[in-house]
Amino acid sequence: MKSVEEQLKIVLRGCDTVYSQEELRKKITRSVEKNQPLRVKLGMDPTAPDLTLGHTVVLQKLRDFQDCGHKAVLIIGDYTAMIGDPSGRSKTRPVLTPEQVKTNAETYLAQAGKVIDTSPEKLEIRHNSEWLKPLDFADVIRMASKVTVARMMERDTFAKRQKAGIEVFIHELFYPMMQAQDSVEIKADVELGGTDQTFNNLMGRDFQRNMDMAPQVVMVMPILVGTDGTEKMSKSLGNYIGVAEAPSDMFGKVMSIPDELMLNYYTLLTKVDEQRMTELTDSGKTHPRDAKVELGKQIVTKFHDEKAAESAVEEFFRIHGKGKAGLPDDIPEVKVPVDLLADGEISAADLAVCCGFAKSKGEARRLISDNGIRLEGEPLPDPMGMVKVTSGQVVQRGKRKFVRLVVG
RNA sequence: GGGAGUGUACCCAAGUGGCCAAAGGGGACGGGCUGUAAACCCGUUGGCGUUCGCCUUCGAUGGUUCGAAUCCAUCCGCUCCCA
């Protein structure tokens, strides 16, 4: 087992806040002395089927604990999913069906496995329906009697919604309590989460104290900002990079983040050490583009492998480099129906629509007159015109969308 | 239960009888430029034929009117204040 100081160094990297550092030090010290691993809890929300890099920030922290010899306890919130975490939400979450929860949990685990160690001695997986489902109404009342309305409404997301005139439903108030109960049930020593989970996680401490247990240490990680550079990374905002995405997309998306975000990404998503990070993010020392290419490589390597990263870089510059004449490695094929053709020609607008580049002919015409559609690299000149097409030709929308034609 | 508001396109938000397919902003998309899918600048942003028009759209339904996002009625949703 690593020394206390080593462990603290690894485990504290990138952390936003620890409640509290002294307690953490004590717990780790005792764990080393008694050679007994800590139980480190992470609750997962089976609401989204795919993980984004945002989710991996806290998963990586869990991995850090595993690497220090501790036990990860992953809670699948199959029961809490009936409420949905209200954190950061301006709207109530839709309720999930048991089937959705199940399939989401499966893909989640598969994808989380890219970050955490899934060997059984390092990872314990629990479903919170195990202890929440047997509770009867009286148990729930008893639970609710431990927390005041005022305390609950302090919570920023509730307070904000209340103030903004957006409804807050009673059942949402139960979410933090259920999550807190999880900590009691699994006897968590440490709970991890994003900063948006602070309230929920701290409530776990209260519940444990009520049960005369040693309260868990709460460690919250910063929320990863999405590719837009402002909002939290999330699927619904469309500013995400998915764990399961193809190397070229993953790399391209990393290249699209604002330069200012690089330090943040380096800290939270890579293991690059501090000194190297400051070199990379100092534009006097490193060209920002090169720093970003390096970042992209690191990230693609983490979720795929080094070879995939190299070819993603190569492809990126082939397409977006100086000449801009390059083509991606994989181009989907699209059939051009014969009935749109007359003497081997098709109307420019129809072509764009059947390639899937425009939803309507009007949109297609607008795109064409903005030089947005290219055939074999040449912009289509006339939105009203006809063009000759043959199988194998490449049609392109903008810089990134390509399609190969199959006529007939 | 009483009272006051409010519902407009992907989102926010203007519009209170014709000049409204509906201002503005955000987002998204396209172009230019570049250091990249950064930044910045420009453009596009209901559908169908097209230099003119037709069709669908402003919570829902019905009505008034030559004409309604705009007026009236009923209904539905949401919020706030009082009880």
Side-chain angles (χ1 to χ4, degrees):
Chain A
M1 210 175 219
K2 293 184 171 70
S3 76
V4 176
E5 294 311 317
E6 270 180 290
Q7 290 197 31
L8 281 170
K9 187 167 183 260
I10 294 171
V11 139
L12 289 174
R13 171 176 171 143
C15 258
D16 182 273
T17 315
V18 181
Y19 305 88
S20 64
Q21 286 220 28
E22 281 92 289
E23 283 182 49
L24 178 66
R25 178 181 291 274
K26 273 186 208 156
K27 286 198 189 236
I28 290 178
T29 306
R30 199 171 316 132
S31 150
V32 170
E33 281 166 7
K34 295 190 172 175
N35 193 27
Q36 188 174 38
L38 295 174
R39 292 173 64 74
V40 185
K41 173 196 171 196
L42 176 63
M44 95 164 244
D45 231 17
T47 47
D50 285 304
L51 295 197
T52 70
L53 293 195
H55 298 105
T56 70
V57 172
V58 68
L59 282 169
Q60 179 59 51
K61 190 50 61 191
L62 192 60
R63 175 59 188 256
D64 291 344
F65 272 99
Q66 287 181 315
D67 290 345
C68 289
H70 302 291
K71 179 100 173 190
V73 184
L74 190 64
I75 310 260
I76 294 172
D78 60 338
Y79 217 67
T80 27
M82 295 190 350
I83 297 179
D85 181 9
S87 296
R89 282 236 135 197
S90 54
K91 286 180 180 141
T92 310
R93 278 192 190 267
V95 173
L96 295 169
T97 66
E99 290 75 40
Q100 285 172 310
V101 170
K102 194 161 172 280
T103 55
N104 288 351
E106 276 163 17
T107 55
Y108 184 106
L109 277 174
Q111 294 179 12
K114 293 186 183 224
V115 181
I116 56 173
D117 186 340
T118 52
S119 57
E121 67 276 11
K122 293 265 188 180
L123 176 67
E124 178 178 322
I125 298 170
R126 304 287 286 273
H127 292 71
N128 63 9
S129 57
E130 188 189 323
W131 49 85
L132 293 178
K133 197 174 176 186
L135 297 180
D136 67 18
F137 201 73
D139 295 324
V140 175
I141 299 280
R142 216 167 292 128
M143 185 191 276
S145 70
K146 297 266 167 53
V147 190
T148 67
V149 172
R151 167 100 174 89
M152 202 54 95
M153 291 310 294
E154 275 169 20
R155 203 188 164 187
D156 63 338
T157 50
F158 293 146
K160 265 185 211 148
R161 277 207 247 160
Q162 177 93 0
K163 209 174 168 191
I166 300 165
E167 72 272 31
V168 176
F169 290 93
I170 302 282
H171 73 289
E172 296 184 82
L173 304 182
F174 279 92
Y175 190 91
M177 292 188 254
M178 291 162 86
Q179 193 172 322
Q181 188 61 31
D182 294 348
S183 292
V184 171
E185 297 289 345
I186 65 135
K187 301 186 171 57
D189 293 304
V190 177
E191 175 161 17
L192 306 180
T195 49
D196 59 348
Q197 292 294 312
T198 306
F199 183 93
N200 294 344
N201 296 347
L202 290 175
M203 184 145 286
R205 281 166 69 87
D206 293 344
F207 270 46
Q208 287 174 315
R209 272 196 213 97
N210 282 336
M211 300 301 290
D212 293 322
M213 290 171 63
Q216 63 187 6
V217 168
V218 169
M219 294 178 71
V220 294
M221 300 298 294
I223 298 299
L224 192 70
V225 176
T227 52
D228 59 359
T230 48
E231 301 286 339
K232 159 185 180 176
M233 180 180 285
S234 85
K235 216 170 177 197
S236 51
L237 292 172
N239 61 356
Y240 71 100
I241 303 177
V243 167
E245 283 190 78
S248 54
D249 288 330
M250 196 178 263
F251 183 78
K253 285 188 179 182
V254 172
M255 291 304 278
S256 81
I257 66 168
D259 292 353
E260 309 80 72
L261 226 56
M262 285 197 280
L263 180 60
N264 188 247
Y265 273 44
Y266 267 116
T267 310
L268 297 175
L269 298 171
T270 74
K271 289 195 180 282
V272 172
D273 67 60
E274 209 158 323
Q275 196 194 336
R276 180 87 182 110
M277 276 198 292
T278 45
E279 275 173 31
L280 283 165
T281 51
D282 177 347
S283 58
K285 286 188 177 142
T286 312
H287 191 301
R289 184 203 50 208
D290 296 337
K292 213 181 278 178
V293 169
E294 178 58 28
L295 176 66
K297 268 195 209 165
Q298 294 265 351
I299 291 173
V300 175
T301 304
K302 181 171 180 176
F303 295 101
H304 296 276
D305 55 57
E306 212 173 321
K307 203 163 154 255
E310 293 295 342
S311 57
V313 174
E314 194 275 322
E315 181 178 331
F316 185 86
F317 284 101
R318 188 172 359 122
I319 296 168
H320 301 289
K322 280 286 173 228
K324 291 182 182 177
L327 296 174
D329 295 332
D330 295 310
I331 304 178
E333 293 191 339
V334 147
K335 260 206 161 74
V336 182
V338 204
D339 53 316
L340 289 174
L341 292 166
D343 293 331
E345 297 196 330
I346 183 171
S347 86
D350 280 334
L351 179 65
V353 171
C354 87
C355 289
F357 292 159
K359 286 195 281 296
S360 67
K361 287 191 192 181
E363 187 186 352
R365 292 196 187 101
R366 287 192 294 267
L367 267 170
I368 293 165
S369 55
D370 286 343
N371 288 330
I373 303 287
R374 282 164 218 224
L375 177 65
E376 292 290 289
E378 287 302 313
L380 295 180
D382 180 8
M384 296 306 194
M386 301 290 287
V387 283
K388 200 170 211 69
V389 289
T390 52
S391 287
Q393 287 182 313
V394 172
V395 187
Q396 166 182 4
R397 168 186 171 168
K399 291 167 195 152
R400 296 150 52 196
K401 289 182 181 158
F402 299 84
V403 135
R404 196 181 293 281
L405 297 179
V406 178
V407 178

